[in-house]
Amino acid sequence: QLQLVESGGGLVQPGGSLRLSCTASGSTFNSYSLGWFRQAPGKEHEGVSCINSGGSTHYPDSVKGRFTTSRDNAKNTVYLQMNSLEPEDTAVYYCAAELYGSSCMFMRYNGMDYRGKGTLVTVSS
């Protein structure tokens, strides 16, 4: 079992930055691939990053060059640094973990083994 808790969401102006954190407890954190997903009102979940146990990362074109994910296994925490934020980035952001499989790499939210409850990011002037 793995429990995931996101933090760091809030209100930010367009062009601004925000760093989200997700802290895990309950299992062997460093073996998991960790993804960040988001869901805007009325839309499906969208993957925005994946970092595997070896530290390799993957991003969709919509956030590539603006978002960076990293992990600190000593702190059981994964981060999402978001720069040059746009109103279209407004969503609830979730972190999720996968032990085996390809859901993280292919950004399939429902295929992840564990998911947090999310943190709201609002980009608005």
Side-chain angles (χ1 to χ4, degrees):
Q1 284 284 351
L2 197 67
Q3 291 80 43
L4 303 169
V5 179
E6 302 94 338
S7 61
L11 174 65
V12 62
Q13 292 187 342
S17 297
L18 210 57
R19 188 176 83 155
L20 306 182
S21 301
C22 173
T23 301
S25 61
S27 188
T28 308
F29 178 80
N30 58 2
S31 298
Y32 286 83
S33 294
L34 303 162
W36 283 96
F37 297 80
R38 65 186 181 187
Q39 186 177 32
K43 294 190 176 181
E44 299 286 326
H45 286 93
E46 174 191 17
V48 297
S49 71
C50 174
I51 182 167
N52 68 15
S53 59
S56 296
T57 57
H58 176 64
Y59 307 92
D61 289 343
S62 58
V63 306
K64 196 174 292 182
R66 300 190 298 124
F67 289 11
T68 303
T69 190
S70 60
R71 63 192 297 164
D72 185 337
N73 290 334
K75 295 182 178 180
N76 279 15
T77 300
V78 59
Y79 303 99
L80 183 68
Q81 177 68 43
M82 304 185 293
N83 299 328
S84 302
L85 283 162
E86 305 166 352
E88 293 73 24
D89 296 316
T90 295
V92 178
Y93 283 72
Y94 302 87
C95 71
E98 176 186 37
L99 187 57
Y100 300 114
S102 58
S103 290
C104 186
M105 172 172 287
F106 291 104
M107 300 197 170
R108 292 191 289 253
Y109 178 75
N110 289 331
M112 302 297 285
D113 296 326
Y114 303 101
R115 295 174 284 274
K117 294 185 178 181
T119 185
L120 176 63
V121 172
T122 303
V123 184
S124 175
S125 55

